[in-house]
Amino acid sequence: MKITFLGTTCTQPTPSRNHSGILIEIDGDAILLDCGEGIQRQLRVAKKRITKIKHICVSHWHGDHCLGLPGLLSSMASDQISHKVQIYGPEKSKLFLSHMLQGFYSHGVCEHDCSEHEQGTLFKSRMYSVSAHKLVHSVPSIGFKITVYKQRKIIKDLLESKRVPTTLWGKLQQGETVKFDGKMYRPEQYTVQDDPLILCYIADTIMGDHLYTFCEDADIIISESTFLHEHVEKAKEVYHMTSQQAAMVAHHVNAKRLILTHPSLRYKNTKRLLEEAQVIFPNTMFAEDFTEVNIE
Ligand SMILES: [Zn+2]
């Protein structure tokens, strides 16, 4: 899995930070988490093909997370994308998207579907699944969890002792039940599978117990980190997080890695935000635009 940060700012873009967008490349698929203004250009700078994007997950309909959609969907149409793009977001997503797409003369946007979610699985493949989790922000907001399944390992001795032909092992490894000599062989009995890798994206939200529940099994957490803790009251007032709070979540759920993003424009740089988090959770980094993280 490869994570590419395309935009990492808060309310307004800066010379070095674009509005929000994270590209996840996994199992041959490309998934976009949020689509702030300018994301299609960021994709081109990062040399990512926009026609590869199948799923767009919009955390909420504040402009810094969604205003890139009309342009991206228009460019996908002119690049003759061959599949339907699936767009997922919280309540009112269909309404907001339709308003956005009616705001200008257009040669058309690519074929797409938009669905609204608060909780639960959005889509899955053989290798991964993506689910939505309710956050608490000033407007309806959802976070996204990506679960990456590890490949099953064959219990060779057991299959050999049952004389199951090796030609059937591949199916068991892919999680399928096979039939041999009148008997059913289930993957749970003849393969072992390690725990999946879990990535949680905490988009705009206020701190709260909902984050411990959302991230309880997370290995990697990407979190908004708008404020320093000295501005915790301001953070509460505008339904955002401090970097210390993001680190507390990562520490509490025993995550392996924390990646911060979305700093307030009031800070000249992210040094103190990062330091504050690292005191609580040392394996923290602050994402810049075009930061790439490869996960084995
Ligand atoms: Zn935001």
Side-chain angles (χ1 to χ4, degrees):
M1 174 166 63
K2 184 186 261 190
I3 307 165
T4 306
F5 288 85
L6 300 163
T8 57
T9 189
C10 185
T11 45
Q12 289 179 26
T14 73
S16 60
R17 291 184 186 271
N18 194 84
H19 276 154
S20 288
I22 303 167
L23 186 73
I24 307 285
E25 291 167 282
I26 180 171
D27 195 22
D29 291 341
I31 303 162
L32 186 59
L33 305 180
D34 282 329
C35 187
E37 205 180 322
I39 283 299
Q40 63 162 324
R41 185 168 184 280
Q42 298 293 91
L43 283 159
R44 289 180 199 272
V45 175
K47 298 194 168 27
K48 305 292 182 188
R49 293 208 351 246
I50 59 170
T51 50
K52 294 225 21 171
I53 296 170
K54 279 189 181 164
H55 305 279
I56 303 177
C57 303
V58 180
S59 63
H60 63 297
W61 293 83
H62 272 151
D64 56 324
H65 294 257
C66 66
L67 284 176
L69 277 168
L72 180 61
L73 299 178
S74 302
S75 294
M76 281 171 157
S78 59
D79 280 2
Q80 297 180 328
I81 191 168
S82 57
H83 56 262
K84 192 188 257 190
V85 176
Q86 303 293 333
I87 300 167
Y88 313 86
E91 62 178 88
K92 293 198 176 166
S93 289
K94 291 179 192 174
L95 178 74
F96 283 121
L97 181 66
S98 73
H99 284 175
M100 284 172 88
L101 297 181
Q102 283 170 34
F104 56 102
Y105 288 115
S106 165
H107 293 298
V109 296
C110 67
E111 214 189 328
H112 61 275
D113 256 346
C114 179
S115 53
E116 299 174 0
H117 308 264
E118 191 175 79
Q119 205 76 21
T121 304
L122 303 179
F123 54 96
K124 55 183 168 184
S125 81
R126 191 174 53 79
M127 265 191 69
Y128 70 88
S129 66
V130 178
S131 56
H133 295 259
K134 192 174 185 224
L135 300 175
V136 182
H137 193 40
S138 52
V139 297
S141 181
I142 51 177
F144 301 104
K145 181 181 286 196
I146 302 179
T147 304
V148 186
Y149 305 107
K150 302 270 171 71
Q151 188 164 37
R152 289 175 181 275
K153 292 182 197 128
I154 292 288
I155 310 173
K156 202 175 159 201
D157 294 350
L158 189 57
L159 286 166
E160 277 175 352
S161 72
K162 304 272 179 189
R163 299 185 191 287
V164 177
T166 51
T167 47
L168 296 175
W169 292 12
K171 284 194 172 170
L172 281 167
Q173 206 169 11
Q174 284 175 16
E176 291 177 39
T177 298
V178 298
K179 194 174 175 186
F180 168 64
D181 214 8
K183 207 180 147 199
M184 303 305 277
Y185 291 82
R186 289 204 306 277
E188 302 82 48
Q189 293 169 295
Y190 297 94
T191 64
V192 282
Q193 190 174 30
D194 291 338
D195 288 343
L197 178 117
I198 293 175
L199 165 78
C200 290
Y201 169 41
I202 303 177
D204 295 12
T205 182
I206 195 170
M207 177 66 168
D209 287 347
H210 61 291
L211 297 179
Y212 296 120
T213 313
F214 168 31
C215 298
E216 62 183 353
D217 43 8
D219 296 293
I220 303 160
I221 298 175
I222 298 172
S223 179
E224 72 123 306
S225 164
T226 310
F227 291 102
L228 279 169
H229 212 71
E230 66 192 37
H231 298 128
V232 67
E233 287 307 316
K234 179 71 187 169
K236 249 191 240 170
E237 192 187 311
V238 291
Y239 290 83
H240 276 295
M241 303 261 290
T242 69
S243 53
Q244 195 181 103
Q245 289 171 335
M248 278 163 60
V249 175
H251 172 76
H252 184 85
V253 301
N254 208 12
K256 297 189 179 78
R257 189 167 190 178
L258 172 65
I259 308 173
L260 301 175
T261 183
H262 201 275
S264 164
L265 270 74
R266 69 177 63 207
Y267 310 119
K268 260 198 247 126
N269 59 54
T270 55
K271 190 169 175 282
R272 285 179 66 209
L273 289 156
L274 179 61
E275 283 169 358
E276 188 177 271
Q278 282 174 333
V279 170
I280 294 165
F281 190 81
N283 195 14
T284 304
M285 65 182 280
F286 216 106
E288 306 288 330
D289 282 20
F290 306 114
T291 293
E292 279 195 356
V293 178
N294 286 296
I295 312 291
E296 290 304 317

